[in-house]
Amino acid sequence: MSKYQKDEEISMIEKTRRDCIECDRCKKNCSFLQKYDMNLLDFCDKPETAYSCFLCDKCKAVCPVDLPGAKIAIEHRKKTPVKAIKTAFMKNSYKFRNNSKKKTKDLLFLGCNYPGFYQKTCEKLIEIFKAEGFDYSVDCCKKPVYEMGGTANIENIEKLCAKKNVKRLVTCCPNCYHFMKDRISVKVIDIYEWMIEKGIGKKIHGKLDIFFPCSDKETKEIFESVKFFIEDYSDTFKDVNCCGLGGGVNDKELLNIKKERIIAHNVPHIYTYCSSCSGIFKNGYKINGVKNILSEILDVNEEVSAEYPKNVMKFMFKNLRK
């Protein structure tokens, strides 16, 4: 392979083998790499560890040559697609979706986790969009399939938008926003930008201890809109790379490290704008004082639900379009 070969023509594993300078900054900033005593170059030759990577890409943020460990992990996972079969079956044609044929310029895309963890907040959003003459969708963006190493049928979302004449997809979930914004032809915006445009939502006062979701941590694209509703904030959890749900991993040792670091900050409230983060903090780690910024802005002030499966089933059959 020529050292001058274009990046888009080679895999991320090949690119890492070519460009890594072995400074070990990635290892110093990642509990996963530390556990397996490796840097990103070593990771290229250890596919058996791929499902322990949280895909947070903190390694990329600190890498002087901009190498993303998440892409290495996903490349490894694609070589064992059997692990993605169940996720693809559930998510590619999302089994609990709730869509309609109703035409709508703006489509509220609730994703799959917000309806499970924040039922009342979703109902409030649907009510607001209905008053503005817009429809909603309960569906999966297909990112979980991609992260497990499967083929994400994002074409299903593209077809849905085409049938409904959608001009803008308004996302609640940071994962949905970042995964779809460069993959579909429809313009994708976040719910906070939409609310600013419509003059909806209250300000949250005081200094908030914010946990940034992995997908928005580096660019903070969504947070630029979120800031409009916040008086002040602190990036309190810089030593925690991921909430623990990234990439569908189940490494209990690494999960405990994240849990301990979060609890060690001993803050009265953890504010996040990701329902997945909220869910694992409250239901997985049993941390009290978890507040979802979207729910707070809408003045719903909803607690994270512990009845995720029940709520998802409810939203599948809800008809709030009447």
Side-chain angles (χ1 to χ4, degrees):
M1 178 187 67
S2 168
K3 64 181 291 188
Y4 302 108
Q5 192 172 359
K6 292 181 179 179
D7 289 346
E8 59 266 28
E9 296 176 353
I10 64 175
S11 72
M12 185 50 62
I13 289 176
E14 290 174 323
K15 184 178 187 301
T16 302
R17 286 173 176 157
R18 182 194 70 185
D19 295 347
C20 179
I21 60 174
E22 295 195 79
C23 65
D24 278 359
R25 291 185 188 179
C26 54
K27 182 177 178 180
K28 293 172 184 175
N29 287 274
C30 175
S31 54
F32 156 64
L33 293 175
Q34 289 167 14
K35 175 180 177 178
Y36 292 98
D37 191 25
M38 62 185 182
N39 55 29
L40 290 184
L41 184 61
D42 300 323
F43 188 24
C44 292
D45 296 316
K46 294 187 178 181
E48 69 277 7
T49 66
Y51 286 93
S52 287
C53 173
F54 286 90
L55 310 183
C56 69
D57 255 352
K58 179 61 180 292
C59 51
K60 180 176 181 288
V62 300
C63 178
V65 290
D66 211 31
L67 297 173
K71 287 189 176 181
I72 295 173
I74 291 171
E75 196 170 319
H76 280 320
R77 293 177 184 189
K78 285 183 180 298
K79 294 174 183 177
T80 54
V82 66
K83 292 179 179 289
I85 290 175
K86 182 179 179 181
T87 304
F89 174 76
M90 289 299 299
K91 299 287 189 176
N92 268 335
S93 292
Y94 184 48
K95 298 301 179 272
F96 304 107
R97 64 187 180 276
N98 185 334
N99 293 315
S100 78
K101 296 180 180 179
K102 183 179 178 181
K103 308 300 182 184
T104 181
K105 180 181 177 181
D106 287 351
L107 179 62
L108 171 64
F109 194 85
L110 293 168
C112 50
N113 277 346
Y114 258 105
F117 289 125
Y118 289 99
Q119 186 176 17
K120 293 179 181 177
T121 301
C122 288
E123 289 176 350
K124 179 68 177 287
L125 281 170
I126 291 170
E127 179 184 311
I128 291 170
F129 269 70
K130 183 179 178 180
E132 294 284 338
F134 302 129
D135 196 17
Y136 69 92
S137 167
V138 176
D139 210 330
C140 177
C141 68
K142 323 307 174 191
K143 184 183 180 184
V145 182
Y146 169 77
E147 289 186 333
M148 289 299 288
T151 300
N153 289 340
I154 198 166
E155 295 85 1
N156 290 344
I157 304 299
E158 188 84 60
K159 290 176 183 177
L160 175 69
C161 291
K163 288 178 181 178
K164 295 171 70 62
N165 291 342
V166 173
K167 303 302 180 186
R168 297 194 303 181
L169 202 62
V170 186
T171 59
C172 300
C173 171
N175 291 312
C176 293
Y177 171 82
H178 284 285
F179 187 69
M180 294 192 296
K181 70 184 182 75
D182 296 323
R183 285 181 167 89
I184 63 173
S185 59
V186 173
K187 183 177 178 60
V188 179
I189 67 171
D190 63 77
I191 185 64
Y192 306 96
E193 180 182 344
W194 190 89
M195 290 194 295
I196 292 170
E197 179 186 303
K198 302 294 181 182
I200 296 169
K202 72 169 189 177
K203 296 272 187 177
I204 306 177
H205 299 289
K207 190 171 186 178
L208 312 185
D209 293 292
I210 294 183
F211 187 93
F212 290 96
C214 294
S215 56
D216 203 51
K217 191 172 289 186
E218 184 178 358
T219 65
K220 292 187 172 56
E221 285 182 51
I222 299 174
F223 189 64
E224 284 303 309
S225 300
V226 173
K227 282 195 298 186
F228 177 85
F229 299 97
I230 293 175
E231 185 177 63
D232 195 11
Y233 74 96
S234 172
D235 186 359
T236 306
F237 307 95
K238 291 180 180 179
D239 61 332
V240 188
N241 296 347
C242 174
C243 71
L245 282 181
V249 299
N250 55 5
D251 191 314
K252 292 184 178 180
E253 181 182 344
L254 293 176
L255 285 173
N256 283 332
I257 291 173
K258 296 178 188 303
K259 177 182 177 180
E260 289 168 4
R261 287 180 180 176
I262 292 168
I263 293 174
H265 286 285
N266 194 31
V267 298
H269 302 292
I270 301 176
Y271 283 84
T272 179
Y273 48 101
C274 175
S275 62
S276 300
C277 292
S278 301
I280 192 170
F281 292 158
K282 179 67 175 180
N283 299 327
Y285 298 159
K286 308 302 179 186
I287 298 173
N288 293 318
V290 179
K291 291 186 178 290
N292 187 271
I293 292 174
L294 180 55
S295 189
E296 298 293 311
I297 290 171
L298 292 171
D299 207 21
V300 178
N301 307 315
E302 187 176 8
E303 292 285 333
V304 187
S305 176
E307 298 183 320
Y308 183 96
K310 183 179 178 180
N311 293 339
V312 167
M313 284 295 294
K314 282 183 179 179
F315 262 97
M316 179 183 178
F317 298 104
K318 276 183 182 293
N319 185 4
L320 300 174
R321 296 181 176 90
K322 294 179 180 179

